[in-house]
Amino acid sequence: MVRKNSVILFGTFLFVSWNAVLVLLLWNRDPGDVVQDVLKMADAFEAELGRQKDILLQIKNQKLLFLRRPSNLSRLAPPPPAPVATVIPILVMACNRVTVRRCLDKLLQYRPSEALYPIIVSQDCGHEDTAAVIQSYGEKVTHLRQPDLGDVPVRPEHKKFQGYYKISRHYHWALSQVFRTLGHEAVVIVEDDLEVAPDFFEYFRALQPMLQSDPSLWCVSAWNDNGRDGYVDPGKPSLLYRTDFFPGLGWMMLRQLWDELEPKWPSAFWDDWMRQPDQRKNRACIRPEISRTITFGRQGVSLGQFFDKYLKFIRLNSEFVPFTKIDLSYLKEETYRVNFEKEVYSAPLVSYEDVKQGKLKGPGPFRLQYSSKDSFKTMAKNLGVMEDLKSGVPRAGYRGVVSFISRGQRVYLAPPPGWTQYDPTWS
């Protein structure tokens, strides 16, 4: 309707204008001359209208042709951008070990991309010899220095734990630098006494999307607490597990988790704090059958706790596994839980004596059942499995089950069928 009214107004305007021109021309002129002039003007006007009509018809035809061929738009539009890979920095927590060189050398040797895996070394302690080693790498690494080197105020009975307070303060500062100052979305944290496996970067790259999309996960770890030689299957370097125990020792977290943890970060013993129910919230981590890190640092704040008995015997994976090309959907919570429980509780129940004396018959797996904290600790200790519990969760455990190899056969140290939850008083 609006368009029709516009045409009527335009026509009226032309009519009035034409007659006004005629009046001006007829005023005080010879009638014969006037008639000739009017006829010439009418011809010119008609010709101009014809040209304008042709132009409008061409525009209309081109518009219709374009609308009938929508593929033209797709041909002209640029192709969609390729997905941008997440940058996963490696945060090396350093203090006063000049042997940080061993850690950095392996990271640089196996790093597939400088852009995707920037190496950030955060140094506490102010130890200048260690600082010199870090700075010798030049632009290959970013060297950050924790500015607050003073003692942390603690209760008198906690003075002997001053080192643990400083470590927790350092972690808080370093993670804030990574997520707040540098703006990264994820990070892999290693200590200065860890050596990494050849597929260390491949492992974390493959699992980052799952960590991002699965709210039942809160970390990915390169570490198996029971990963000593003889306790893992060397023929299954690609085997991965879910675990309810926070392993640490080379682990990946996302910025969203730091948003959650930063406001309540503890003043000391941050790793055990992570293992408490209020932090874990029934979430799991991914961990490997064969560790992708080993520790070579016997001396430290923990005074070599567990090192001589367990840690120095951890097996480091040497075979590159192309995790990014493997279907890892079996690790999704519901699928994994159902399949894992089926395998564990369909395995034949065996006695502790048969396991200890190597009398198991058949290829396995086998199930060894514990019924209390004390029975778990006794069997684990005597079988060479780490026996300590944190808030009721055994190291490397999933739904109370600890998987390990004994004399070449798979054994599941498991609670009775029908397990529902951990008892935080087990410690």
Side-chain angles (χ1 to χ4, degrees):
M1 183 56 117
V2 174
R3 188 171 181 180
K4 183 176 180 181
N5 290 339
S6 299
V7 172
I8 292 171
L9 289 173
F10 181 68
T12 303
F13 172 76
L14 287 177
F15 179 79
V16 173
S17 300
W18 174 252
N19 284 281
V21 170
L22 286 178
V23 171
L24 290 173
L25 289 172
L26 290 172
W27 196 264
N28 295 327
R29 294 203 46 197
D30 182 82
D33 294 337
V34 169
V35 170
Q36 292 298 321
D37 289 342
V38 169
L39 291 174
K40 290 179 182 179
M41 288 177 62
D43 291 340
F45 189 67
E46 183 180 1
E48 181 61 27
L49 286 176
R51 284 193 293 272
Q52 295 299 323
K53 180 180 178 180
D54 289 341
I55 292 172
L56 290 173
L57 286 173
Q58 290 180 35
I59 292 172
K60 179 181 178 181
N61 290 336
Q62 291 296 325
K63 181 178 180 181
L64 289 173
L65 180 62
F66 185 79
L67 291 175
R68 289 187 189 123
R69 298 176 62 188
S71 59
N72 285 351
L73 186 60
S74 61
R75 288 194 188 118
L76 294 173
V84 178
T86 300
V87 174
I88 306 176
I90 312 301
L91 175 62
V92 181
M93 303 296 290
C95 181
N96 57 0
R97 291 189 179 108
V98 294
T99 51
V100 67
R101 183 181 297 279
R102 178 175 169 182
C103 173
L104 293 176
D105 284 349
K106 288 298 182 181
L107 285 171
L108 292 170
Q109 177 183 345
Y110 297 134
R111 180 172 66 172
S113 167
E114 181 179 352
L116 291 178
Y117 307 98
I119 296 174
I120 303 167
V121 185
S122 181
Q123 186 190 1
D124 200 1
C125 308
H127 190 255
E128 288 306 320
D129 288 345
T130 301
V133 171
I134 298 168
Q135 291 168 358
S136 71
Y137 288 88
E139 295 183 354
K140 293 179 182 178
V141 306
T142 298
H143 184 196
L144 305 179
R145 293 199 188 209
Q146 202 280 109
D148 187 358
L149 302 181
D151 284 346
V152 180
V154 299
R155 302 193 306 270
E157 63 270 25
H158 271 211
K159 281 188 176 181
K160 61 182 178 180
F161 300 127
Q162 180 68 217
Y164 289 102
Y165 281 83
K166 290 184 176 181
I167 288 173
S168 190
R169 178 178 65 186
H170 184 199
Y171 267 81
H172 184 277
W173 182 84
L175 289 170
S176 294
Q177 294 301 305
V178 169
F179 291 120
R180 304 290 179 243
T181 304
L182 300 176
H184 290 293
E185 295 296 317
V187 67
V188 174
I189 304 152
V190 299
E191 286 80 16
D192 56 0
D193 61 345
L194 294 182
E195 180 181 324
V196 304
D199 57 356
F200 175 86
F201 294 93
E202 175 79 0
Y203 172 73
F204 285 109
R205 174 59 61 186
L207 288 163
Q208 183 270 330
M210 182 173 291
L211 181 61
Q212 187 78 51
S213 62
D214 187 347
S216 71
L217 293 174
W218 71 324
C219 87
V220 176
S221 175
W223 182 259
N224 176 4
D225 278 293
N226 292 309
R228 291 187 294 157
D229 265 324
Y231 287 79
V232 294
D233 187 342
K236 294 185 177 179
S238 65
L239 182 57
L240 306 179
Y241 297 81
R242 293 176 75 100
T243 176
D244 299 321
F245 191 87
F246 170 70
L249 293 174
W251 58 286
M252 177 165 60
M253 70 180 295
L254 301 179
R255 179 182 55 78
Q256 292 92 324
L257 181 60
W258 185 240
D259 292 341
E260 174 189 328
L261 299 180
E262 181 184 23
K264 56 178 182 176
W265 191 254
S267 56
F269 309 108
W270 70 270
D271 48 350
D272 284 343
W273 175 83
M274 291 274 288
R275 293 161 182 150
Q276 295 173 359
D278 288 347
Q279 279 63 253
R280 190 172 70 81
K281 297 181 179 178
N282 293 319
R283 292 173 292 192
C285 295
I286 301 296
R287 60 99 174 164
E289 168 79 357
I290 305 176
S291 291
R292 265 57 188 187
T293 56
I294 56 169
T295 177
F296 53 84
R298 185 181 186 281
Q299 299 301 319
V301 174
S302 64
L303 301 177
Q305 184 184 25
F306 299 128
F307 186 86
D308 290 331
K309 189 174 181 180
Y310 295 103
L311 303 184
K312 72 178 182 181
F313 300 109
I314 295 292
R315 182 188 184 101
L316 181 66
N317 181 62
S318 59
E319 177 183 340
F320 185 92
V321 177
F323 283 110
T324 56
K325 297 178 174 61
I326 295 175
D327 182 5
L328 300 176
S329 60
Y330 71 91
L331 292 167
K332 292 181 179 178
E333 181 182 28
E334 183 66 20
T335 301
Y336 186 86
R337 180 179 58 79
V338 171
N339 292 337
F340 186 81
E341 289 186 341
K342 181 179 179 181
E343 178 169 334
V344 171
Y345 290 101
S346 64
L349 186 63
V350 296
S351 70
Y352 162 73
E353 289 75 16
D354 285 346
V355 178
K356 181 66 175 175
Q357 296 170 18
K359 293 182 178 181
L360 300 177
K361 305 295 184 182
F366 303 95
R367 176 164 55 97
L368 177 60
Q369 186 168 294
Y370 67 89
S371 57
S372 65
K373 177 182 72 172
D374 291 338
S375 65
F376 171 83
K377 284 179 168 286
T378 298
M379 287 190 283
K381 182 177 181 179
N382 292 333
L383 293 173
V385 176
M386 295 191 78
E387 73 270 18
D388 63 317
L389 301 142
K390 301 294 183 181
S391 297
V393 185
R395 289 183 182 268
Y398 175 71
R399 297 186 66 80
V401 180
V402 175
S403 172
F404 63 97
I405 296 293
S406 178
R407 301 174 188 263
Q409 295 164 303
R410 177 71 61 186
V411 176
Y412 294 115
L413 182 56
W419 180 97
T420 56
Q421 62 185 1
Y422 293 104
D423 184 344
T425 65
W426 289 21
S427 60

